[in-house]
Amino acid sequence: MIVTIITYDTSHAKTTDILSQLRLANHVKINFLLAPFTARPEREVLFRHRPNQFVGPKIRDIAKYYDLKIWEYDDREAAVRQSDYLLIGGANILEPELANCGKIVNGHAGLIPLVRGLDAFKWAILNGDPVGNTLHLIDEHADAGSVIHQEITPLFADDTLEAFAERHYRIEICMLSRFADLLADGRRLNYPTTEPRKRMPLVTEEAMIAAFPAYKKKFAFVDA
């Protein structure tokens, strides 16, 4: 199987995490499709629910070390033709003709279609919705397409918000790395559709943090 990871042309932690697990899969040839990257000012948040992404070695250096092919973004049509699947490590909004190709797998940090858009982890806690990850084949619509697999993130009574967020992120990486197995054996949960959310404002983030103890009482695992 030929798998191309779509990612930014810079350092990217999630891409590196996916690669480290995907390389262990049998019979998988890995390529990269590098999208242009423009650095932006760091956004102020009260709680960082994902690791800092733009750290570590450059993706081009990783590709050289492991002797992996790089597709430049202008050659994306060829990359799609010559790949069985493409995984999103990191990317901005993709062009409709690319997004609708039927081969691009994304890991969304929310349970589609209930929790869509940005800061899905935070919005789920604030709204009292289950926190989980969705593996899906994308289309041109935000956090839509065909669901491959969904998994609720375990929450335990002793968890801090930080521990819960880290577990949630690690499950997302694991699901993306195991996408080939999940294509045939995925689990699809049934949720109503909501509109995609934007970034959570700071004042709303304060309310999310304050809501976490009550959220734990509602969702944390209790050994009967």
Side-chain angles (χ1 to χ4, degrees):
M1 178 185 290
I2 299 175
V3 177
T4 296
I5 302 175
I6 305 173
T7 190
Y8 299 110
D9 190 3
T10 187
S11 305
H12 195 250
K14 179 179 173 181
T15 300
T16 305
D17 289 342
I18 294 168
L19 177 66
S20 66
Q21 294 191 33
L22 191 61
R23 287 186 61 254
L24 301 178
N26 292 327
H27 311 301
V28 174
K29 179 180 179 181
I30 303 169
N31 302 325
F32 288 110
L33 172 61
L34 297 187
F37 174 73
T38 302
R40 299 175 182 175
E42 188 170 352
R43 190 173 148 268
E44 182 183 359
V45 296
L46 296 180
F47 174 68
R48 186 180 294 279
H49 65 293
R50 298 173 72 80
N52 185 6
Q53 292 297 299
F54 301 109
V55 296
K58 299 286 193 297
I59 299 302
R60 288 185 185 272
D61 291 338
I62 292 174
K64 282 185 178 180
Y65 181 85
Y66 289 112
D67 194 25
L68 305 178
K69 181 178 177 60
I70 288 178
W71 291 99
E72 303 298 341
Y73 201 67
D74 287 346
D75 296 324
R76 56 191 177 275
E77 291 183 6
V80 169
R81 286 196 305 271
Q82 297 185 36
S83 302
D84 294 301
Y85 289 97
L86 299 93
L87 296 182
I88 295 182
N92 295 317
I93 296 174
L94 301 178
E95 299 82 359
E97 60 272 18
L98 181 58
N100 292 328
C101 74
K103 292 183 176 182
I104 301 179
V105 178
N106 180 52
H108 174 63
L111 295 169
I112 293 173
L114 178 64
V115 186
R116 301 167 63 202
L118 303 171
D119 288 346
F121 176 84
K122 295 178 180 180
W123 284 113
I125 291 172
L126 179 69
N127 294 328
D129 294 324
V131 168
N133 287 289
T134 299
L135 198 66
H136 63 121
L137 285 164
I138 71 165
D139 60 21
E140 63 183 289
H141 304 289
D143 300 327
S146 176
V147 171
I148 298 168
H149 178 72
Q150 293 179 302
E151 191 160 326
I152 293 174
T153 301
L155 175 62
F156 299 95
D158 293 335
D159 277 344
T160 62
L161 189 56
E162 291 79 5
F164 188 37
E166 181 179 0
R167 183 179 305 121
H168 183 63
Y169 173 77
R170 293 300 167 194
I171 291 174
E172 178 188 346
I173 299 300
C174 183
M175 286 170 57
L176 277 161
S177 304
R178 292 191 55 234
F179 85 96
D181 297 329
L182 295 171
L183 282 169
D185 194 28
R187 178 176 63 251
R188 298 158 186 82
L189 305 175
N190 186 25
Y191 293 104
T193 300
T194 62
E195 291 299 312
R197 296 278 190 170
K198 296 182 178 180
R199 290 286 184 196
M200 182 174 279
L202 288 176
V203 64
T204 311
E205 203 174 351
E206 289 180 358
M208 180 276 299
I209 294 170
F212 184 61
Y215 186 88
K216 272 207 301 187
K217 288 182 180 179
K218 180 179 179 182
F219 285 104
F221 169 76
V222 176
D223 186 359

